[in-house]
Amino acid sequence: MSLISQNARTKAKKTQREEDIKEPPNHEEVEDGKDSDDEALKAKKRKREQSEMQQVREMKKLESFLFGSLYSPVEFGKEDNEVETGDKKSSDLFFTDRSANSVLSVYEGDADISEESDDDRAAVQRKPVWVDDEEEKATINIANVNRLRKLRKEEDEDLISGSEYVSRLRAQHVKLNPGTDWAQIDSRSKIDRSSDDESDEENEAALNQGNKDVDDILRTNEDLVVKSSSKLLPGHVEYSKLVDANIQDPSNGPINSVQFHRNAQLLLATGLDRKLRFFQIDGKRNTKIQSIFLEDCPVRKASFLPDGSQVILSGRRKFFYSFDLVKAKVDKVGPLVGREEKSLENFEVSPDSKLVAFVGNEGYILLVSTKTKQLVSTLKMNGTVRSLAFAEDGQQLLSGGGDGQVYHWDLRTMTCMHKGVDEGCINSTALSTSPGGKLFAAGSDSGIVNIYNREEFLGGKRKPIKTIENLTTKVDFMKFNHDSQILAICSCMKKSSLKLIHIPSYTVFSNWPPPNASLSYPRCLDFSPGGGFMAVGNSAGKVLLYKLHHYQHA
C-alpha cells in the first residue's frame, strides 16, 4: 500500500470531518426567542466560515494539481473531498494504490516503508510538478544497448515501458550512489542513544577522533595512500623512463662509469672521451654542473669515496687520478712505489673510505690509502685477479679470478680467512656484495651468476642459493640496490643484455629490459641511495635514467 496515497486520503477525510464539525446549525434549531440582530450576526458568521472553508478546499485542489504524487500520475476530474455512498464508505479509509506496485518495486531492496520513522517520512522528496504522460506509451529495448542490459531483471527481457525504464534507472542510481550520511551537518551528533552512558562517551570520543583525522587529511596535499617501501613484489617492476641523465652533455665515447653521490642529487658519468661530468639529477632537466678533461687518461672506472669527499679515476695507465670535490682540485697519483703495474684500471673503494683496492698483476691486490695515496699493503692470490668486492664495512675483502675460487680476506690481519670454489665457474669476472653483507653474487665469463649466503659459504657450504642463467655472455658488472631487493647484472657484449633480479624470490623481472626501447650495449649502472633512480651507461655515450616507482625517495 502506498504511504503517500494513504496520507493523501487521510487528509481528505480530516477535511471532511472538519466540515462536518464546523457545519452551521439548522435554522430550525435556533430558538425563537433570539433577536433578529443575533440572527443577522450568526448568518454573517456562517457565511464567513463557509467562505473560509471554500478557500481551504480551493487551496488543497490547487496544491494537489501543482504538487501531485511523486510516483503516480495526476488524476483530473476527481475532488479531494469526494465521498462514496453505500457499502463503499468503509473502504475509503483503507484502499490499495495499484499504481505504486510497479513503480515502487524498484525500492524492494530498501527497508519497508511502513516501518520508517517520523524523521524519515519528513525527508520524503517533494511531489513532482509535472509528469510526462508519454512515458506509458513509449517502449524501450534494453537488450540491444550494451549499457542498458544491466537493467534487465530476466535474461530474455527486452522491451519495457517508459515509466518502468525511468524507475529502473532511478533504482540503478540509488544502487550506485548510496547515501552520504557523513556529509550531513548533523551527522557528527548522531550517537546511539540506546546504549548506556559509558558507551555514549566512547562513541562520542571515537567520533570526535574520526572527525579530527578527517580534518587533518583535508588540511594536507600529501598522498592518501603511501606505498610500503619494505617489500618489493616479484614478477613486474614498476618504472618509467625519464630524460637522459647526460642529456645536456652526451659523451663522445662509451660510458664506463656512472655513480650517484650520497646526497642522491649529484651524478658522475665518465668514459673513454677523457671527460668527467657531473649532473644534478631531478628527472626533468638534469642540469650539467661541471666537466673535467683528463688529457692523458681515457677513464675506465671512476668512483666516489663513500664519504663524498673525493672521486678516484683510473685507466690503462700506471697512475690514477684523485679529484677533491671540496677544493675542486685534480691530483695525479703514481706510479705506486715498489710496483711495476702497467694498468690500474680496475679497483674498488672500501665502505669506510679508508682504502682503495686495485687489481694488480700476477694475482696481487694493491691496497692504497685514500689519505696518503700511498701503497699500504698487498695481498696475493693463487691465480689472476679479475674482480673485487668489500664486505663488513671495509674489514673484509672478496676477490675472484682465473682459478674459479672466491677468496675472503681479513684486512685487519691482512690474511686469507677462507677460499672456496664458485660452483660451475672457470673464470670469475664480477663480484658484488649486498649492503648488509649477508649475500654476495659471483659472475663468470659464461654468463652464469651464482648468489650465495656469505655466512653459509664461509661455513663450508658450496651450494649457491640460486643460479641465474639469463645472460649468455660474460658478466661484466653487477650491483645490489640499497635494500638488497634488486640485483642488476649486465654484459657489454650483447645488446640490451641487462637483467634485474628480485632477490627475495631470486627471479628475474619479466618486464625488464623495456621491450620497445634498446639499451644499446650496457656497460655500467648505479642505483640512487634511496632506490628511486637507476642510471644505465651504454656504449652509445648516453646515461639512461629510470624511475623505480616502488621507492619514494631518490
Side-chain angles (χ1 to χ4, degrees):
M1 180 181 296
S2 173
L3 177 62
I4 299 175
S5 301
Q6 185 175 351
N7 290 339
R9 286 291 186 175
T10 304
K11 291 182 180 180
K13 285 300 181 180
K14 286 184 178 180
T15 304
Q16 184 65 31
R17 287 197 295 271
E18 290 176 359
E19 293 179 9
D20 295 340
I21 293 174
K22 294 183 180 182
E23 187 71 19
N26 196 341
H27 292 287
E28 295 179 359
E29 296 178 357
V30 179
E31 298 180 358
D32 297 335
K34 293 186 178 181
D35 298 334
S36 59
D37 294 339
D38 295 338
E39 293 179 357
L41 291 174
K42 291 182 178 181
K44 185 181 294 186
K45 184 178 180 180
R46 287 196 302 271
K47 186 175 181 181
R48 185 169 62 254
E49 291 177 352
Q50 290 178 357
S51 177
E52 292 177 355
M53 295 301 298
Q54 182 66 23
Q55 290 180 2
V56 171
R57 286 195 295 269
E58 292 296 333
M59 289 296 294
K60 289 188 175 294
K61 289 175 60 179
L62 181 61
E63 180 181 358
S64 176
F65 177 75
L66 293 178
F67 307 103
S69 173
L70 178 62
Y71 302 109
S72 59
V74 179
E75 298 182 4
F76 299 96
K78 291 188 179 181
E79 298 292 335
D80 289 342
N81 59 348
E82 182 181 25
V83 180
E84 297 182 3
T85 58
D87 297 337
K88 296 183 179 180
K89 288 184 178 181
S90 60
S91 64
D92 277 350
L93 295 177
F94 303 93
F95 73 101
T96 302
D97 186 0
R98 302 187 183 280
S99 64
N101 291 339
S102 60
V103 181
L104 291 180
S105 60
V106 297
Y107 300 102
E108 292 175 357
D110 299 340
D112 189 1
I113 298 180
S114 61
E115 297 179 359
E116 290 180 338
S117 62
D118 295 338
D119 295 339
D120 296 334
R121 294 176 183 176
V124 175
Q125 297 180 358
R126 298 178 63 182
K127 300 178 181 179
V129 178
W130 173 79
V131 176
D132 188 4
D133 296 334
E134 296 296 329
E135 289 182 357
E136 291 293 340
K137 300 179 183 179
T139 57
I140 308 297
N141 193 328
I142 60 176
N144 289 343
V145 183
N146 292 335
R147 60 190 179 92
L148 298 181
R149 291 178 181 176
K150 58 178 174 289
L151 301 179
R152 295 182 298 178
K153 294 183 178 180
E154 297 179 0
E155 186 176 358
D156 56 348
E157 188 177 16
D158 50 5
L159 295 177
I160 59 174
S161 64
S163 60
E164 179 68 15
Y165 174 68
V166 172
S167 64
R168 293 190 185 183
L169 285 179
R170 290 178 181 271
Q172 183 70 12
H173 176 75
V174 172
K175 179 180 178 181
L176 298 179
N177 301 277
T180 54
D181 295 337
W182 58 268
Q184 302 300 327
I185 298 178
D186 59 344
S187 63
R188 298 183 178 182
S189 61
K190 291 185 179 180
I191 300 176
D192 187 8
R193 299 177 181 177
S194 62
S195 59
D196 54 11
D197 296 339
E198 183 178 356
S199 61
D200 286 344
E201 295 178 358
E202 294 177 356
N203 291 338
E204 186 174 3
L207 184 60
N208 293 335
Q209 181 64 29
N211 295 333
K212 182 178 182 299
D213 295 340
V214 172
D215 294 340
D216 293 341
I217 291 175
L218 297 179
R219 289 193 184 103
T220 181
N221 61 351
E222 296 179 357
D223 294 337
L224 296 181
V225 179
V226 180
K227 294 183 179 180
S228 173
S229 60
S230 60
K231 186 177 181 180
L232 177 65
L233 298 179
H236 286 71
V237 57
E238 296 183 6
Y239 67 90
S240 57
K241 177 71 169 64
L242 304 178
V243 178
D244 290 351
N246 64 341
I247 186 67
Q248 294 192 3
D249 188 10
S251 175
N252 295 325
I255 299 293
N256 286 330
S257 287
V258 292
Q259 188 179 13
F260 284 92
H261 192 269
R262 66 176 186 174
N263 65 7
Q265 296 180 354
L266 187 65
L267 176 75
L268 70 81
T270 184
L272 297 181
D273 64 347
R274 305 179 185 183
K275 279 188 178 182
L276 173 64
R277 300 173 177 85
F278 295 96
F279 300 91
Q280 183 178 359
I281 302 300
D282 57 8
K284 297 179 181 179
R285 299 182 60 185
N286 300 331
T287 307
K288 176 186 174 182
I289 297 177
Q290 187 179 7
S291 65
I292 299 172
F293 181 72
L294 303 176
E295 185 176 358
D296 57 350
C297 185
V299 181
R300 293 283 177 172
K301 185 169 184 177
S303 177
F304 286 109
L305 292 186
D307 60 9
S309 61
Q310 301 178 35
V311 177
I312 304 298
L313 306 97
S314 67
R316 288 183 179 175
R317 299 291 187 269
K318 298 179 181 181
F319 52 85
F320 65 94
Y321 283 94
S322 173
F323 175 66
D324 192 320
L325 294 176
V326 178
K327 299 179 181 179
K329 181 181 178 182
V330 179
D331 294 325
K332 183 177 180 180
V333 182
L336 298 178
V337 178
R339 299 296 305 178
E340 296 181 357
E341 308 295 338
K342 295 182 179 180
S343 174
L344 298 176
E345 62 183 277
N346 193 356
F347 68 88
E348 289 292 331
V349 179
S350 65
D352 57 4
S353 302
K354 294 181 178 180
L355 294 175
V356 180
F358 288 94
V359 172
N361 296 330
E362 300 176 354
Y364 279 95
I365 303 172
L366 313 178
L367 301 179
V368 177
S369 172
T370 57
K371 292 184 179 180
T372 63
K373 306 299 187 295
Q374 298 297 319
L375 181 66
V376 295
S377 182
T378 59
L379 304 174
K380 177 67 171 70
M381 287 177 50
N382 293 334
T384 58
V385 185
R386 295 188 179 182
S387 56
L388 299 171
F390 280 93
E392 296 292 338
D393 295 329
Q395 296 181 4
Q396 295 182 13
L397 177 67
L398 281 71
S399 63
D403 59 355
Q405 294 187 346
V406 177
Y407 291 74
H408 278 73
W409 304 89
D410 188 346
L411 298 183
R412 292 168 296 185
T413 60
M414 297 297 174
T415 57
C416 179
M417 55 184 292
H418 181 271
K419 68 175 181 178
V421 177
D422 182 15
E423 186 179 77
C425 173
I426 299 176
N427 292 315
S428 177
T429 57
L431 283 174
S432 179
T433 56
S434 62
K438 180 180 179 180
L439 304 174
F440 76 90
S444 65
D445 57 357
S446 61
I448 301 298
V449 176
N450 291 328
I451 302 176
Y452 294 92
N453 183 303
R454 205 167 63 88
E455 292 184 359
E456 295 179 355
F457 187 82
L458 293 175
K461 183 178 179 181
R462 301 291 185 264
K463 190 71 174 177
I465 300 175
K466 182 68 175 181
T467 299
I468 307 298
E469 301 177 351
N470 293 82
L471 298 182
T472 58
T473 54
K474 183 185 71 170
V475 180
D476 292 297
F477 191 87
M478 298 190 297
K479 179 76 174 181
F480 284 90
N481 73 333
H482 73 289
D483 60 358
S484 303
Q485 294 195 84
I486 299 177
L487 171 63
I489 58 176
C490 74
S491 173
C492 62
M493 299 180 66
K494 188 176 181 181
K495 278 190 175 183
S496 299
S497 184
L498 172 62
K499 300 295 182 181
L500 298 181
I501 302 168
H502 181 256
I503 290 303
S505 65
Y506 302 101
T507 57
V508 175
F509 288 107
S510 59
N511 63 331
W512 182 271
N516 299 326
S518 175
L519 301 179
S520 184
Y521 294 91
R523 301 179 65 87
C524 55
L525 63 89
D526 192 31
F527 297 97
S528 60
F533 290 133
M534 182 179 68
V536 180
N538 61 22
S539 60
K542 295 181 179 180
V543 179
L544 309 178
L545 187 64
Y546 294 90
K547 169 64 177 175
L548 302 181
H549 298 297
H550 175 76
Y551 300 100
Q552 303 299 317
H553 304 287

